[in-house]
Amino acid sequence: MALIVHKYGGTSMGSTERIRLVAKRVAKWARAGHQMVVVPSAMSGETNRLLGLAKELAPAKPGDAYQRELDMLASTGEQVSVALLAIALQGEGMESVSYAGWQVPILTNSAHTKARIESIDDQKVRVDLAAGKVVIVTGFQGVDEAGNITTLGRGGSDTSAVAVAAAMKASECLIYTDVDGIYTTDPRVVPEARRLQTVGFEEMLEMASMGSKVLQIRSVEFAGKYKVPLRVLSSFTPWDIDIEIEAKSGTLITFEEDENMEQAIVSGIAFNRDEAKVSVLGVPDTPGIAYQILGAVADANIEVDVIIQNVSKDGKTDFSFTVHRNDYARTIDLLKEKVLPGLGANEITGDAKICKVSIVGIGMRSHVGVASKMFRCLSEEGINIQMISTSEIKTSVVIDEKYMELAVRALHKAFELDQPAA
Ligand code: ADP
Ligand code: ASP
Ligand code: MG
């Protein structure tokens, strides 16, 4: 008998029929003798719908008062899901109980709409499990010290599930979703994408941080920190599939590099449409410029990603960086008001229609020429690279958004990701 955490995403919880199938699957696992904790997301489309209602009433504002209410609002989607799943399980003859984040409690910091989990009190859940109940805990939400409901950022139910699994030292955390595992790239964009049997933790972390939304990055961080065995698999297999087969399906995130692991140079391609480029033109090329620009941006709690500074000409240079698209207008305003006047820069421009495409792979560490192969492939497609950033195991380029799918497909082919790894 093991303690297992299941997480079901929005599509998996998308209708009462789907919720019934989830209940049947969970009941199967419980009847096989496992202690089950289930973390569902809101029904698909619900979080968007709720946030859309807020937008109708007043435009999104960065202020805390507005963000607090967004969390009150968005968290209700998951509350509906847990109650419906508990009811469906009871309909299957299983004893079950649901909890909102604040009831567990899942304690977070107070950063509304992007809170971080600080601790989870598992006492209540353990008592219920010992009494033979299936316990359902809301994904995506928690509570801060002052009792305010918080949410963990879009896609945050993955993080809730892994954090619960870590806190309870679960044997495994199974992330059920609408694809049957982690692919070499998003199979919706490249139908030839190949499912990976295993993916190394570092690669998964990089894929998630480069925009592959199949797992929220914080969930991967948690899994790494607490060594939570993590598997991504489909909720669309027949619910009564043999449990042994189900337990080995999908993609396992691994923490050790073992010899049997698929060792391609590039393991996957991630892309991200959520960024925007900001350029400050004609800044004097003197010490402290990067700090003056980016310090002001950081003080406004805006995260910066790719940064480039051009060579200087006549003592002036151009400075560009990317931010999340949601922060784009705010960044431009901030620079115009607070930074430009003191900087002697000529102009601030920007482009919200960019995307970032990244190739990721542990194998890049020991192979030279991987980045140049990427650049050659893009040039053969006539795609202009606006910015480049690299780390040991990834190379990212910023390009015009309209070429994103073309770039991803071409790179997938160039790195032979549609072919099984040797
Ligand atoms: P859920 O609602 O279950 O959390 P998400 O929509 O958040 O599901 O994540 C699953 C989706 O992630 C898939 O439908 C797929 O389109 C997308 N995706 C992006 N990159 C990948 C990848 N490398 N492998 C698998 N799926 C990916
Ligand atoms: N319901 C939340 C969202 O749509 C959390 C999640 O699905 O993981 O972002
Ligand atoms: Mg998700």
Side-chain angles (χ1 to χ4, degrees), residues 202 257 265 361-368 370 392-394:
E202 278 182 88
E257 288 181 42
I265 296 170
I362 289 279
M364 288 167 73
R365 268 190 193 140
S366 47
H367 285 78
V368 288
V370 183
E392 240 194 331
I393 65 164
K394 73 117 214 280

Side-chain angles (χ1 to χ4, degrees), residues 232-284:
V232 175
L233 68 172
S234 172
S235 71
F236 284 74
T237 52
W239 71 266
D240 54 356
I241 173 180
D242 185 282
I243 214 167
E244 300 288 326
I245 295 174
E246 185 175 338
K248 293 199 177 78
S249 67
T251 301
L252 180 71
I253 318 298
T254 56
F255 298 102
E256 278 132 42
E257 288 181 42
D258 84 51
E259 284 165 11
N260 300 323
M261 249 171 71
E262 297 170 70
Q263 269 300 7
I265 296 170
V266 171
S267 307
I269 299 175
F271 50 84
N272 185 351
R273 277 180 251 243
D274 295 340
E275 291 188 28
K277 186 171 80 169
V278 178
S279 299
V280 189
L281 307 179
V283 277

